[in-house]
Amino acid sequence: MSSTPLALFVGLPNPTLSDDEFALFRETNPLGLFVGRRNLRNPEQAKILIDRFREAVGRDDAPVFTDQEGGRVQHMDAGPWPLFRSFGQFAELARRDLDLGKKAMRLSTQAMGAMMSELGLSSGCSPVLDLVFETTSAVIGARSFGPDPDFIAALGREVVDGLLETGNMPVMKHIPGHGRATLDSHKERPVVDASRETLTATDFKPFVALKDTPWAMVAHVVYSAYDAELPASISPIMHDVIRNDMGYDGVLISDCIFMESLQGTLPERVAQVLDAGFDIALHSHGDVKESEAAAKAARPLTEAAQKRIAAGKARLGTLKIDYRAAHAEVESMFASALVS
């Protein structure tokens, strides 16, 4: 096993790590693990799974991510864990009372971050900073704070800082913006035809405002004003736009390579992400054979990526809170404001 991890997150089909998976991860040393609701049944089981992955790769701090935004995208949605509200609901509260909305968003984020950190989860891949319009694909919907980039940035800041405080890594998504896509990139290849001027003034703006966020997830969306052929996640041109025009210097991880906006075999998709210059390819599920194929196509993290990862980890706080009590307090805020 190389001492430098592969620039790859792997996934699992089950709530336990098989012997074959353990051996594969020990041999190949992928950077991290991505878990979903299929892998998360209860706290005890989740901790065992996370610890076993870290044992396999030989790194106690190996990142283990999930999708835990709130609303319909929260993979910790089994009985043992409280259900969190969507960003759209916090936006509604904030439009009535901005200070209250920001306070509720911060406290809810701290509760969610503490809940994840207690299990050993490194990140819930949040916040979503995409704009939403009447034409936006339903894949975004209430996951967004709305159509106003400044408003999105204000509430997004509460999420970024709340997660950092509780030692949970924020990952802003889907840079440089999924909001103008009318198709679901899980199923098709969306093309956004807005001009560079429009994108800079709108979709890109929240990401630029929060460019100090340590990690960002790259959209599988074509922005034809820059690259008429390739989605951002595999486009060297869009890599340069994000790094140079938008000024983002954090860790860049692709959205899941299983999504059908990409083309080719899984190994080819891994190579496309890394060839474009992005730091990490996300292989968020799949069986042991698929993980093996992805690992063979990956390569060790670059020195630059390792430095970005270390810089992000150095910003993680240690705030401990009673996440159930904090969640209940957020619910009381909504009740007092009469927002459903």
Side-chain angles (χ1 to χ4, degrees):
M1 177 174 69
S2 170
S3 59
T4 302
L6 292 178
L8 180 71
F9 268 66
V10 291
L12 303 168
N14 299 307
T16 57
L17 198 68
S18 71
D19 290 343
D20 286 345
E21 287 163 338
F22 186 94
L24 175 65
F25 300 155
R26 168 154 287 184
E27 177 186 355
T28 59
N29 193 18
L31 173 65
L33 175 69
F34 196 95
V35 293
R37 58 177 53 87
R38 65 191 172 278
N39 312 120
L40 301 170
R41 300 293 173 81
N42 58 67
E44 182 180 6
Q45 169 270 323
K47 287 179 182 178
I48 292 171
L49 175 62
I50 292 166
D51 288 347
R52 187 157 164 78
F53 172 75
R54 289 176 172 151
E55 179 188 356
V57 296
R59 287 177 282 116
D60 291 340
D61 62 347
V64 180
F65 285 12
T66 189
D67 269 328
Q68 184 69 17
E69 302 164 10
R72 64 181 176 82
V73 179
Q74 50 185 324
H75 285 212
M76 298 171 70
D77 61 357
W81 297 297
L83 295 177
F84 291 82
R85 290 176 179 266
S86 70
F87 287 161
Q89 289 175 296
F90 284 99
E92 183 182 351
L93 178 61
R95 279 189 282 269
R96 296 189 184 193
D97 183 331
L98 181 59
D99 288 341
L100 181 63
K102 290 168 69 175
K103 181 180 178 181
M105 186 76 265
R106 183 68 155 261
L107 185 58
S108 182
T109 299
Q110 290 172 338
M112 195 181 294
M115 182 180 74
M116 289 187 282
S117 293
E118 188 177 292
L119 285 181
L121 283 166
S122 312
S123 176
C125 292
S126 185
V128 173
L129 300 183
D130 302 318
L131 280 64
V132 68
F133 307 97
E134 288 184 3
T135 56
T136 299
S137 167
V139 74
I140 301 299
R143 298 170 67 190
S144 168
F145 289 116
D148 182 337
D150 294 323
F151 184 76
I152 290 172
L155 289 176
R157 171 59 65 191
E158 301 301 325
V159 179
V160 169
D161 290 351
L163 289 171
L164 285 172
E165 288 165 348
T166 56
N168 203 259
M169 188 64 71
V171 180
M172 60 179 182
K173 59 190 186 187
H174 306 82
I175 199 170
H178 204 298
R180 291 185 189 276
T182 59
L183 302 176
D184 181 353
S185 53
H186 290 82
K187 303 173 182 177
E188 302 174 81
R189 176 170 289 186
V191 177
V192 169
D193 288 324
S195 69
R196 297 187 181 198
E197 292 76 15
T198 296
L199 290 169
T200 299
T202 56
D203 296 61
F204 293 3
K205 200 172 180 182
F207 297 98
V208 173
L210 298 182
K211 66 182 180 181
D212 61 327
T213 305
W215 286 57
M217 182 176 289
V218 189
H220 294 317
V221 176
V222 174
Y223 302 88
S224 62
Y226 295 93
D227 186 333
E229 300 296 329
L230 298 177
S233 54
I234 59 172
S235 167
I237 296 171
M238 291 309 299
H239 172 270
D240 291 345
V241 169
I242 293 169
R243 289 290 189 211
N244 300 325
D245 297 358
M246 299 176 71
Y248 183 69
D249 193 36
V251 181
L252 285 170
I253 183 171
S254 75
D255 209 340
C256 178
I257 62 169
F258 276 87
M259 292 165 62
E260 291 309 314
S261 176
L262 301 188
Q263 297 169 359
T265 64
L266 291 176
E268 288 170 344
R269 297 179 188 197
V270 171
Q272 288 165 11
V273 168
L274 300 180
D275 286 346
F278 295 103
D279 295 315
I280 302 161
L282 172 58
H283 179 273
S284 70
H285 53 283
D287 59 26
V288 67
K289 290 184 178 180
E290 289 168 325
S291 292
E292 182 178 14
K296 287 180 178 178
R299 62 204 67 160
L301 284 168
T302 65
E303 185 175 343
Q306 293 178 65
K307 289 180 178 178
R308 293 183 186 111
I309 291 169
K313 285 172 60 178
R315 294 179 57 195
L316 294 175
T318 58
L319 177 66
K320 308 292 184 186
I321 65 169
D322 182 334
Y323 68 82
R324 293 187 185 278
H327 179 264
E329 185 176 346
V330 171
E331 288 302 301
S332 70
M333 293 178 186
F334 276 87
S336 65
L338 299 178
V339 177
S340 61

